[in-house]
Amino acid sequence: MLALFPVNAWIVFPLLIISIVLASLFTSKKVKLFIIVLMTCFIVMELISIYFSGGFVNYQFYVNLNVNDIIEGLSIFKLQALLAIVVFFILIFLLLKFATLCQKKISVIIRLIVLVAAIFSLNYQNGPISKLTEIYHIVTAPKLSFPEALSEMNLSDYPLKDQIETTKGKNIIVISLESFEQGFLDLPSITPNLNRLRQKYTFYGDIPMGTGSSWTTASMHTYMTGLPLLVGGMNTTPLSDISQTNIVSLGDVLHKADYQTRYIIGSPTFAGIGHIISMFGIDIISEKNYPGEYPNAPFGLYDKDTFDIAKKQVNELSASDKPFALFISTISTHAPNGFYDERMKSVIDDSQDDMSFAAASLDYNLGQFIQFLEDKGVLDNTVFYIFPDHLMMGSGTKTIAELSKQKRFLYVLTNANAKDLASYASQEHNIYQIDLPRIILNGAEVKTNARFWTDSFTIENGDNRAEYVEKYITKIAALNRAAGVE
């Protein structure tokens, strides 16, 4: 079990000590059992969090701790779920035994000293206690009016939706790649097409993944609004009870210039992403729009079919005299092993492991799609953006071992003119996920009075946007909460 968690597995030891010592302080068997079960739940949750995200239980873990996401997770991580259950019961048995032994052999004073020392060992920056405190600050964010929340974020001059003015620019295509982080580009045998595009177009690398933007739905919310998906309130499905938001999104800006906006995703129910897309007023295109046309796949569509639909949508959208913005999310490179599409065997070496096969398949289908845009002449008046939604999740797999050989980052690949992005993107300064909506609009030469949070910074005072997200974490949660309309 611990082999799956090479980086942070040490956390289990102070937690085990706390469990044993705390239970040993009580003589009642029922109280002992209650403490052991409670602490074992926490230990297993920490191990699960470390496995999936490489870090301790945090807000990302919290918001995915709901029935729908758990069921979706179990459909993919069956072996891991079984292992977690086995570990859970083994730990309860062993901890009870050790607690009883500790009670008999060690004095109360020594046990209390050990307990305090073990608790203090967990209390450091970005440690488990720090992350639990972070969750507390987010979910207990004050309930403010929307103007009050904007003021707290230094956005008092934020134009509201009915005040937005936009002049159309080029067409826009945004492609969000599931877990397809920068390290895959260092594997040229798997990503020859992305590496070709990297040489041909503009590439911005070494983008850190931010708090509140580290899972699919959160990543999408961030690049649509410029705000991480941190939402106040005790709700593990944030915004699920909200029908619309007062936060200005790309959808709002583009609709003002009469853009056609569509979002292609395998299944709108995946991670609740469809609900939030609908809040932005963007039409959802999925397998439901093409009944019986594509094979059954995990979460609706294989990437091959997602890009096939994207070609159909481009043909349809470009036939109109209106500008368009097409958003695309892939899924087949989902952790831990990707989704195997046997149809790709004709063009991809299937002797590779499943994730490498899925990654090479995505690279091929993405390359074919960009080639289609080039051949059709769409790129003469269309700007595309390609970026991962988040880092690959999971531990103990060959893929993660390969990606972890160096520091892990996100990236943006685009045909936008570099001079149009110069204020927010350069080789000297990192791009952050909260910069993406501004970058998407600027690169497409869309003129608007809309403001995003990143517009409050300059390169000089906001060079590390990640620090600002951490600093404003409660205020962001309050703003997202205040913006919701039931």
Side-chain angles (χ1 to χ4, degrees):
M1 178 71 175
L2 294 183
L4 295 175
F5 313 104
V7 178
N8 294 324
W10 64 266
I11 189 182
V12 75
F13 298 110
L15 288 176
L16 290 174
I17 291 169
I18 292 169
S19 304
I20 293 169
V21 174
L22 194 58
S24 74
L25 296 175
F26 298 89
T27 56
S28 169
K29 291 183 179 179
K30 289 183 179 180
V31 174
K32 267 195 183 72
L33 181 61
F34 174 78
I35 292 171
I36 293 296
V37 170
L38 191 64
M39 288 300 299
T40 302
C41 286
F42 184 58
I43 292 169
V44 172
M45 283 194 295
E46 286 288 359
L47 291 175
I48 290 172
S49 180
I50 292 168
Y51 175 81
F52 285 113
S53 66
F56 305 119
V57 168
N58 57 9
Y59 184 70
Q60 174 183 341
F61 186 91
Y62 173 81
V63 298
N64 286 282
L65 201 62
N66 61 75
V67 174
N68 289 337
D69 287 344
I70 290 172
I71 291 173
E72 284 182 348
L74 289 174
S75 68
I76 306 172
F77 299 96
K78 297 182 180 69
L79 178 60
Q80 290 85 349
L82 178 61
L83 181 59
I85 292 170
V86 171
V87 168
F88 177 78
F89 285 106
I90 290 175
L91 280 178
I92 289 176
F93 174 78
L94 292 176
L95 291 177
L96 279 172
K97 293 290 186 183
F98 280 111
T100 302
L101 183 63
C102 179
Q103 192 175 46
K104 293 178 180 178
K105 301 291 185 179
I106 303 174
S107 71
V108 173
I109 297 298
I110 293 176
R111 278 182 272 160
L112 288 173
I113 293 172
V114 171
L115 178 62
V116 171
I119 293 173
F120 268 99
S121 73
L122 301 175
N123 190 23
Y124 59 93
Q125 187 175 10
N126 293 322
I129 294 177
S130 171
K131 291 300 181 182
L132 292 177
T133 303
E134 180 181 279
I135 295 174
Y136 174 79
H137 287 314
I138 294 170
V139 300
T140 61
K143 195 169 185 179
L144 305 174
S145 68
F146 189 55
E148 288 173 332
L150 286 173
S151 178
E152 288 291 315
M153 289 283 290
N154 299 319
L155 290 171
S156 298
D157 54 351
Y158 185 85
L160 303 179
K161 291 190 178 189
D162 59 0
Q163 299 170 326
I164 297 297
E165 297 176 0
T166 308
T167 302
K168 72 178 181 180
K170 296 181 179 181
N171 301 317
I172 297 169
I173 296 177
V174 175
I175 308 171
S176 175
L177 305 179
E178 172 65 43
S179 307
F180 216 59
E181 60 181 84
Q182 185 170 308
F184 280 103
L185 277 70
D186 296 324
L187 306 172
S189 63
I190 292 177
T191 54
N193 293 286
L194 261 174
N195 276 291
R196 175 181 60 81
L197 295 173
R198 179 180 183 176
Q199 297 302 315
K200 185 173 184 178
Y201 296 110
T202 305
F203 181 84
Y204 300 98
D206 297 347
I207 299 175
M209 186 173 68
T211 301
S213 307
S214 56
W215 67 100
T216 300
T217 306
S219 170
M220 184 274 294
H221 184 276
T222 302
Y223 84 70
M224 283 286 184
T225 67
L227 286 172
L229 188 58
L230 305 166
V231 186
M234 302 284 187
N235 192 339
T236 57
T237 53
L239 306 182
S240 60
D241 55 349
I242 300 301
S243 61
Q244 53 186 304
T245 177
N246 288 317
I247 297 293
V248 172
S249 70
L250 287 180
D252 299 309
V253 175
L254 296 171
H255 291 153
K256 288 290 185 176
D258 207 23
Y259 273 74
Q260 307 167 82
T261 58
R262 298 179 186 177
Y263 198 114
I264 301 173
I265 188 169
S267 173
T269 61
F270 174 65
I273 194 170
H275 171 70
I276 297 182
I277 293 168
S278 67
M279 287 171 49
F280 301 146
I282 297 175
D283 294 333
I284 299 172
I285 306 296
S286 70
E287 89 287 356
K288 294 181 180 178
N289 297 82
Y290 301 89
E293 192 165 334
Y294 297 104
N296 292 329
F299 303 114
L301 293 167
Y302 289 110
D303 289 349
K304 173 182 171 63
D305 303 319
T306 296
F307 283 110
D308 186 64
I309 290 174
K311 292 175 185 178
K312 293 177 180 179
Q313 290 295 314
V314 169
N315 284 332
E316 182 180 325
L317 291 166
S318 58
S320 169
D321 58 358
K322 293 182 178 181
F324 70 84
L326 182 64
F327 303 91
I328 305 165
S329 280
T330 68
I331 189 62
S332 292
T333 47
H334 196 289
N337 300 313
F339 302 133
Y340 186 88
D341 182 357
E342 63 179 12
R343 295 172 300 170
M344 296 302 299
K345 290 193 295 185
S346 61
V347 291
I348 302 297
D349 179 11
D350 67 343
S351 65
Q352 308 173 86
D353 62 88
D354 285 357
M355 179 57 83
S356 296
F357 182 83
S361 299
L362 170 56
D363 176 77
Y364 177 85
N365 288 312
L366 176 61
Q368 291 291 298
F369 179 65
I370 300 299
Q371 188 66 55
F372 161 81
L373 298 178
E374 292 172 339
D375 294 344
K376 190 176 172 63
V378 173
L379 296 185
D380 294 343
N381 191 39
T382 300
V383 176
F384 69 76
Y385 301 89
I386 300 170
F387 50 78
D389 56 355
H390 53 73
L391 299 178
M392 179 69 68
M393 297 182 184
S395 299
T397 65
K398 179 181 176 181
T399 302
I400 293 297
E402 188 68 35
L403 295 173
S404 298
K405 288 181 178 178
Q406 53 196 329
K407 200 166 182 181
R408 299 167 63 188
F409 291 108
L410 309 177
Y411 57 88
V412 173
L413 176 63
T414 179
N415 66 330
N417 193 320
K419 69 179 180 59
D420 293 325
L421 306 182
S423 297
Y424 293 87
S426 71
Q427 300 301 325
E428 291 76 30
H429 300 279
N430 265 337
I431 295 175
Y432 291 84
Q433 287 165 291
I434 64 171
D435 300 327
L436 287 175
R438 175 54 65 195
I439 287 171
I440 289 169
L441 293 175
N442 284 11
E445 300 175 24
V446 174
K447 307 301 181 185
T448 179
N449 66 335
R451 291 195 64 212
F452 300 98
W453 189 38
T454 190
D455 297 328
S456 302
F457 305 122
T458 65
I459 288 295
E460 288 73 27
N461 73 10
D463 193 36
N464 190 343
R465 306 285 207 270
E467 291 181 0
Y468 279 82
V469 172
E470 295 295 336
K471 180 180 177 180
Y472 282 83
I473 199 166
T474 302
K475 294 178 180 180
I476 295 170
L479 178 57
N480 282 323
R481 183 182 190 183
V485 179
E486 295 183 7

